[in-house]
Amino acid sequence: MPTTTPRILLAGGGSAGHVSPLLATAAQITRRCPEAEVIVLGTQEGLEADLVPAAGYELVTIDKVPFPRRPNGDALRFPGRFGATLRSVRTLLRDREIDVVAGFGGYVCPPAYLASASLRRPLVVHEANRRPGLANRLGARRAAAVLTAFEGSSLPGARRIGMPMREGIAHLDRAAHREQAVRGFGLDPACPVLLATGGSLGALRLNTAVAEAAAAFVEEGAQILHVTGRGKAEGLPELEGYQVVEYVGAMEDAYAAADLALTRSGAGTVCELTAVGLPAVLVPLPIGNGEQALNGEQVVAAGGALMVPDGELDAAHLRHQVLPLLRDQDRLATMAEASRAFGITDAAEVMADVVTGVARRA
């Protein structure tokens, strides 16, 4: 049903790994195709409940109905609950005359994918991790386009475009903004800066190791910008050159201030680090299906990062391995070049073009 006004449903939510690329894509759709109507499908419990309306997009919520992993009461109730959710999404697609569904993974995607299939609406799938989740494995079977953040996906017909991200990060010039960013965090531009962060929720092992090693870094003329996660900064040492913050609203400022990052290796983090060309020491989360280690492997192989198993990260490792690296500007420059060569900065634009193109052909 051709239309002069593309009507697009973006499905995804729950975590920042789903919501951030969704919103980055929405922003580029709006910029590149101002007449497009963009609706977001999410839940009331995920980050999207706050972030999507704040970004100016309509959010339609459905119940979170995870697939049961064991036979119990939830398993018995699942068919009825999932069926009701599926019917509500079908109604949404019909009533709003949606031309294309674009999914980013998460609990809302299976009903969105099945509803689009039943109504023969085209589907575009974006997979952030090298090891795809169940929802996107389901959707990729009939998708008009399967787009990924990394090479080597097992999804059929996958094409790497990178991770859609905000313009402020994707097109950051770290060198041009470094001095202002460093001063903004109360640090000295003449001294190297380690950015240590476990994400918005923090990471206990990273926080503990960094706090214990902070004095040694400062004594050697290095600095640390430690983003602890909300509610995780209490009790950490107070040292000049060791700046502790719970949260950074604009991560591009932290990336610009840093010479080296110590982080988890979630897909979004890895893609942002490489887009801005920031060398990193990656510490994969040791739970789940191992996707964080997979996400970082290709960057390590390219020379843009090092990887340390979670169990080996402690204050001694930071003092003996990370601190010398932070002070080796030549090696950091080589790593930064390799990181930037691996990174992709226009994923949001490409994703937006693919989605609107499919919508116009619908």
Side-chain angles (χ1 to χ4, degrees), residues 32-333:
R32 301 164 85 82
C33 184
E35 72 276 16
E37 181 179 339
V38 178
I39 303 166
V40 178
L41 184 70
T43 70
Q44 293 180 339
E45 296 85 7
L47 290 176
E48 65 273 16
D50 294 323
L51 297 181
V52 169
Y57 294 98
E58 178 184 355
L59 176 67
V60 177
T61 61
I62 57 176
D63 290 337
K64 177 179 173 180
V65 187
F67 287 106
R69 298 183 182 274
R70 58 182 61 87
N72 55 21
D74 287 338
L76 293 174
R77 290 186 291 271
F78 174 78
R81 294 180 62 206
F82 188 81
T85 299
L86 182 57
R87 288 190 294 274
S88 69
V89 179
R90 281 199 197 107
T91 299
L92 172 67
L93 296 183
R94 282 193 298 259
D95 290 352
R96 303 297 291 270
E97 299 181 344
I98 297 298
D99 296 308
V100 62
V101 174
F104 296 82
Y107 290 116
V108 300
C109 282
Y113 294 168
L114 291 172
S116 68
S118 68
L119 297 176
R120 300 186 182 279
R121 306 293 167 84
L123 171 66
V124 176
V125 168
H126 185 274
E127 175 55 55
N129 292 299
R130 279 187 67 194
R131 180 172 288 157
L134 176 61
N136 281 347
R137 293 203 304 272
L138 172 71
R141 296 173 184 174
R142 60 163 296 272
V146 178
L147 310 173
T148 65
F150 297 98
E151 295 282 6
S153 174
S154 60
L155 297 177
R159 173 166 69 100
R160 184 193 180 210
I161 66 162
M163 178 76 80
M165 62 187 76
R166 290 189 303 104
E167 277 199 16
I169 294 175
H171 303 295
L172 172 68
D173 184 337
R174 286 202 303 121
H177 291 87
R178 182 181 186 275
E179 181 170 349
Q180 179 182 356
V182 173
R183 293 190 186 281
F185 286 109
L187 297 171
D188 182 356
C191 300
V193 176
L194 173 71
L195 166 64
T197 175
S200 59
L201 299 179
L204 179 60
R205 183 175 290 275
L206 267 69
N207 284 346
T208 300
V210 170
E212 292 178 353
F217 275 65
V218 172
E219 288 170 5
E220 293 293 328
Q223 302 174 110
I224 300 175
L225 172 58
H226 187 178
V227 186
T228 63
R230 295 190 187 278
K232 307 292 176 63
E234 187 175 349
L236 298 186
E238 296 182 10
L239 300 167
E240 186 174 354
Y242 174 51
Q243 186 64 259
V244 177
V245 295
E246 292 190 353
Y247 177 77
V248 175
M251 279 302 293
E252 56 265 38
D253 294 336
Y255 293 150
D259 298 279
L260 175 67
L262 175 74
T263 73
R264 291 299 194 197
S265 53
T269 298
V270 172
C271 291
E272 289 182 357
L273 292 170
T274 57
V276 304
L278 178 59
V281 177
L282 304 174
V283 188
L285 188 69
I287 61 174
N289 62 6
E291 71 269 12
Q292 285 213 356
L294 285 174
N295 291 339
E297 280 181 355
Q298 293 177 344
V299 187
V300 173
L306 305 177
M307 188 176 291
V308 181
D310 185 80
E312 296 180 16
L313 183 76
D314 56 17
H317 184 93
L318 294 180
R319 291 192 300 267
H320 301 310
Q321 302 296 327
V322 177
L323 177 55
L325 174 60
L326 179 62
R327 300 179 64 193
D328 188 341
Q329 292 300 309
D330 290 339
R331 188 178 178 195
L332 289 180

